[in-house]
């Protein structure tokens, strides 16, 4: 355990830098906040190190985690937190996604095409966890390790298989691997409640404003839509959750 009492401390500055994407990527790390999420995450992965406010140290020690612990004075701990009311503990983990399609095997997947809102992606990951669906993201999507996104998954990120494509063109290779590509389209297609999903399926959800890109839409084997009343379309998180239920029904 190492005590840190100054913002000028090199470890404190290092932890502070991890609030930025470029440093998270450089160090291959991301972080979660709070004891509830940490307790759940510990069932799947041990953090590389933990920062804890001095007033919460005894609570952390009760968990008996065998990792490096940085004890941060209460007066400067808030500078490391992304939340308004911090619980006084931040755990730093190695990033957990796979890159490219090489590790994608058979099964049912949701593919997010340029989905930008961290709350939406976090909610989709939580639903994917709930329904047993795997996840693929195009490189244009919001950063997977955005702190708001991580918070909204409520530890589901540790249980969900996630792949980030190197480029959109890799979707074509998914077809070559035997996946059926299903694209959501508010302008029509097959109605979701009557849709027959194959064993190996990639279901594409598009950008919040623009929908699925033309590049990926052109690769669709079939199209699907959710029949609604009064409104043209649903929030991508809501639509994705409905469709994942239908996939695993």
């Amino acid at each position: 355990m190492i005590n840190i009492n100054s913002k000028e401390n090199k470890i404190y500055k290092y932890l502070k830098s991890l609030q930025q994407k470029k440093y998270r990527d450089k160090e291959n790390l991301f972080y979660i906040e709070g004891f509830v999420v940490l307790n759940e995450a510990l069932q799947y992965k041990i953090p590389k190190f933990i920062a804890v406010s001095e007033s919460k140290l005894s609570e952390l020690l009760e968990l008996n985690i065998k990792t490096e612990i940085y004890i941060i004075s209460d007066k400067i701990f808030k500078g490391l937190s992304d939340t308004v009311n911090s619980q006084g503990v931040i755990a730093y983990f190695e990033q957990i996604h796979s890159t490219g399609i090489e590790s994608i095997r058979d099964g049912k997947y949701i593919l997010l095409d340029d989905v930008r809102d961290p709350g939406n992606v976090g909610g989709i990951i939580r639903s994917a966890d709930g329904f047993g669906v795997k996840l693929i993201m195009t490189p244009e999507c919001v950063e997977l390790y955005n702190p708001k996104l991580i918070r909204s998954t409520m530890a589901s990120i540790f249980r969900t298989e996630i792949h980030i494509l190197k480029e959109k063109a890799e979707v074509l290779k998914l077809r070559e691997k035997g996946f059926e590509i299903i694209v959501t389209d508010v302008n029509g297609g097959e109605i979701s409640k009557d849709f027959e999903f194959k064993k190996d399926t990639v279901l594409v959800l598009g950008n919040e404003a623009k929908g699925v890109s033309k590049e990926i839409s052109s690769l669709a084997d079939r199209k699907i839509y959710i029949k609604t009343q009064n409104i043209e379309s649903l929030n991508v998180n809501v639509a994705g959750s409905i469709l994942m239920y239908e996939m695993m029904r």
Side-chain angles (χ1 to χ4, degrees):
M1 291 187 286
I2 299 174
N3 288 280
I4 299 172
N5 300 301
S6 170
K7 290 182 179 180
E8 299 305 312
N9 181 283
K10 65 179 182 179
I11 296 176
Y12 184 90
K13 288 182 176 180
Y14 172 71
L15 298 175
K16 183 75 174 174
S17 75
L18 295 174
Q19 292 178 327
Q20 299 180 53
K21 178 183 182 301
K22 64 179 180 179
Y23 293 111
R24 289 194 290 269
D25 288 346
K26 179 182 177 182
E27 299 297 323
N28 193 40
L29 294 172
F30 73 103
Y31 59 88
I32 63 171
E33 297 195 44
F35 283 98
V36 173
V37 180
L38 175 58
N39 265 305
E40 197 168 346
L42 288 173
Q43 299 176 46
Y44 308 96
K45 198 172 179 69
I46 299 298
K48 192 170 182 180
F49 47 84
I50 296 174
V52 62
S53 62
E54 56 186 344
S55 59
K56 296 292 183 177
L57 178 60
S58 59
E59 188 173 345
L60 177 66
L61 293 179
E62 289 176 4
L63 300 179
N64 194 30
I65 307 170
K66 299 187 183 304
T67 193
E68 185 74 61
I69 296 174
Y70 302 126
I71 306 167
I72 315 295
S73 67
D74 289 345
K75 65 180 180 180
I76 63 172
F77 184 86
K78 188 177 179 180
L80 301 178
S81 174
D82 276 297
T83 61
V84 176
N85 297 306
S86 174
Q87 293 184 34
V89 65
I90 305 172
Y92 298 81
F93 294 83
E94 292 182 346
Q95 295 185 2
I96 56 178
H97 71 281
S98 298
T99 303
I101 69 163
E102 290 77 13
S103 58
I104 296 177
R105 303 292 182 255
D106 57 358
K108 292 183 171 67
Y109 291 81
I110 289 288
L111 190 153
L112 303 183
D113 178 22
D114 195 19
V115 180
R116 297 296 184 91
D117 183 86
N120 281 336
V121 176
I124 289 168
I125 290 173
R126 188 148 178 80
S127 293
D129 179 25
F131 292 118
V133 178
K134 305 165 190 176
L135 192 73
I136 304 171
M137 299 170 65
T138 63
E140 294 81 12
C141 287
V142 64
E143 181 209 1
L144 176 60
Y145 302 108
N146 176 291
K148 181 180 177 182
L149 189 158
I150 297 297
R151 285 197 300 275
S152 62
T153 72
M154 292 295 293
S156 284
I157 192 168
F158 292 97
R159 293 185 292 264
T160 305
E161 183 179 315
I162 301 175
H163 306 263
I164 300 178
L165 299 181
K166 297 173 185 174
E167 55 184 3
K168 284 189 180 183
E170 287 189 304
V171 176
L172 178 60
K173 295 179 182 178
L174 289 172
R175 287 187 68 187
E176 294 170 354
K177 291 183 76 165
F179 285 95
E180 183 175 42
I181 308 299
I182 311 299
V183 168
T184 51
D185 190 339
V186 296
N187 296 314
E190 299 176 57
I191 299 175
S192 60
K193 68 181 183 66
D194 301 321
F195 203 89
E196 294 285 342
F197 290 95
K198 294 185 177 181
K199 176 178 174 290
D200 296 328
T201 295
V202 174
L203 175 64
V204 185
L205 302 174
N207 175 269
E208 291 89 344
K210 301 175 183 177
V212 178
S213 63
K214 291 181 180 179
E215 183 179 356
I216 292 182
S217 188
S218 67
L219 300 175
D221 295 299
R222 292 191 287 167
K223 294 187 177 182
I224 188 173
Y225 77 101
I226 300 171
K227 192 173 182 180
T228 57
Q229 298 180 29
N230 303 321
I231 59 173
E232 183 182 69
S233 63
L234 299 169
N235 172 277
V236 65
N237 178 14
V238 175
S241 298
I242 291 171
L243 292 171
M244 279 185 265
Y245 171 80
E246 296 290 353
M247 288 175 78
M248 307 307 291
R249 178 164 42 89

